[in-house]
Amino acid sequence: MTKTRRSAAWYGKLDKDGFIHRSWMKNQGFPDHAFDGRPIIGICNTWSELTPCNSGLRDLAEGVKRGVWEAGGFPVEFPVMSLGETQMKPTAMLFRNLLAMDVEESIRAYGIDGVVLLGGCDKTTPGQLMGAASVDIPAIVVSSGPMLNGKWRGKDIGSGTDVWKFSEAVRAGDMTLADFMNAESGMSRSKGVCMTMGTASTMASLAEAMGMCLPTNAALPAVDARRMALAHLTGKRIVEMVEEDLKPSDILTRAAFENAILANAAVGGSTNAVVHLLALAGRVGVELSLKDIEIGSDVPLLVNCMPSGQYLMEDFCYAGGMPVVLDELSHLLRRAKTVLGGDISAYADGAECFNRDVIHAFDAPLKHAAGLRVLRGNLAPDGAIVKPSAATDRLLEHEAEVYVFENIEDLKANIDRDDLPVTPDTILVLKGCGPKGYPGMPEVGNMPIPRKLVAEGVRDMVRVSDARMSGTAFGTVILHVAPEAQAGGPLALVQTGDRIRVSASEGVLELLVDEAELSKRRAAWQPDPPHYTRGYAKLYVDTVLQADKGADLDFLTGKDTRPVTRESH
Ligand code: FES
């Protein structure tokens, strides 16, 4: 044996327990020397055919194994819950914390010394990072990688972003249903995650900005052979990280989170990054609040990818990917350690931009001051967010009457009514879609434009809710209002005909109703009866934190790095 490792408590013992741990593993054909004290590397895999975005991860796991064996480690792959964003009901976000628990407990319970996190689809990357951070053994990310660009009738089309556009075009009568259906196959042409800068590519980009994966991991297409090579190199590196005892807590420092916030602004990243970063910070004990998201507010938009721009992740990769972005941000980036052991600035070494229309220079950006804005006021005492890069500029300063949908059923039943009393100036409000309310805080905040206005050519309106929206979506959409309506937040008190004032420049979200009237409404308010009364969903509703705290479960914040003491045999 070279060194006592965590795995020695399982496989290094010359007694009955050691016999049992080794012998049962040997039924897979592993030789004696696999148990000679070498680092045992878990490969935590979210592969699933129900998570199509992660369907390439079995192949990548083989690449990781090659690297682990080459570096003198012993790779063992294990499955965890997979979260297929487009397939799960009521919403994959309901299960992010369940995946995080699965990852945490799997890592803790098994005799592994380090872990490679194979994820991709929206909630899988944050869920895996949260779980691994709470055990705090060496960990590194390999992402699925984006799908190839969507192609339809000679044009590039982007996952999600063009679905919303096509859907509105059908409702407006500008696109036939047959054409709409025909575009499906062209949109998803290969394995991989959404190829827009949606939540999956945002989280992969932020994992790179935080130094939790090897450089270039975010943008290499899922089917590019270089991604397999990156998996191989990651397998080699995790063995070294175990030797160096380089843990998530060494990497996920306050500085790393600040770098992620800066990078999120520059790439035009998803609003969902906010809840994921806040939850992850809570796991590693970094003080990060919603206010800190404003660190990125003045950062310009550099990456010209949908939904904030026009290109797709394949173009971003060929233009140079995240190393170029980090190079452009180098004067802003905080010093922070990465999985390579050095500073994040090394990720930009040798970075060269091959297409300035796709990745703009810092001093010639696509849009100035494009980072997420935090809004506060009597409608959102604990904050709300808006993404200016995906919004209509003139609507970011707006005051108008509101039309209220009490819940998602109300929205679906009435949004296409011809007599809906709305104008292009109306502010649409949706309640009951926060963490506790739906539950799970689904991506419904970008509610559809009422059909009668779509027919008039309206494509954006101010929308306010306690929901999230897809990272692929766009519009002047104010999200994550906290506290949510179901928790008794002021959003619950809004009524059709009230007025709301929004000012992104002032960071304000105000309900223009006097306090006496609000007190009357508050006294009469009752929460909805819970939709779920048993199982994980009940646990979630009972313990979930509000959006401004990352929507983690209250008992999962922090970490537990103690050795597992009780024996199973
Ligand atoms: Fe999985 Fe977009 S739905 S990445």
Side-chain angles (χ1 to χ4, degrees), residues 392 422 472:
T392 304
V422 293
T472 63

Side-chain angles (χ1 to χ4, degrees), residues 89 93 97 135 309 395 450 468:
K89 291 178 186 248
M93 181 63 176
N97 303 335
V135 197
L395 291 176
R468 296 175 302 115

Side-chain angles (χ1 to χ4, degrees), residues 84-95:
E85 187 68 29
T86 52
Q87 314 296 319
M88 293 185 97
K89 291 178 186 248
T91 166
M93 181 63 176
L94 177 64
F95 305 106

Side-chain angles (χ1 to χ4, degrees), residues 51-54 83-86 120-122 147 159 192-196 198-201 470 472:
T51 308
C53 316
N54 292 9
L83 310 179
E85 187 68 29
T86 52
C121 193
D122 295 14
M147 289 187 262
S159 332
V193 300
C194 293
M195 85 306 274
T196 43
T199 304
S201 286
S470 166
T472 63

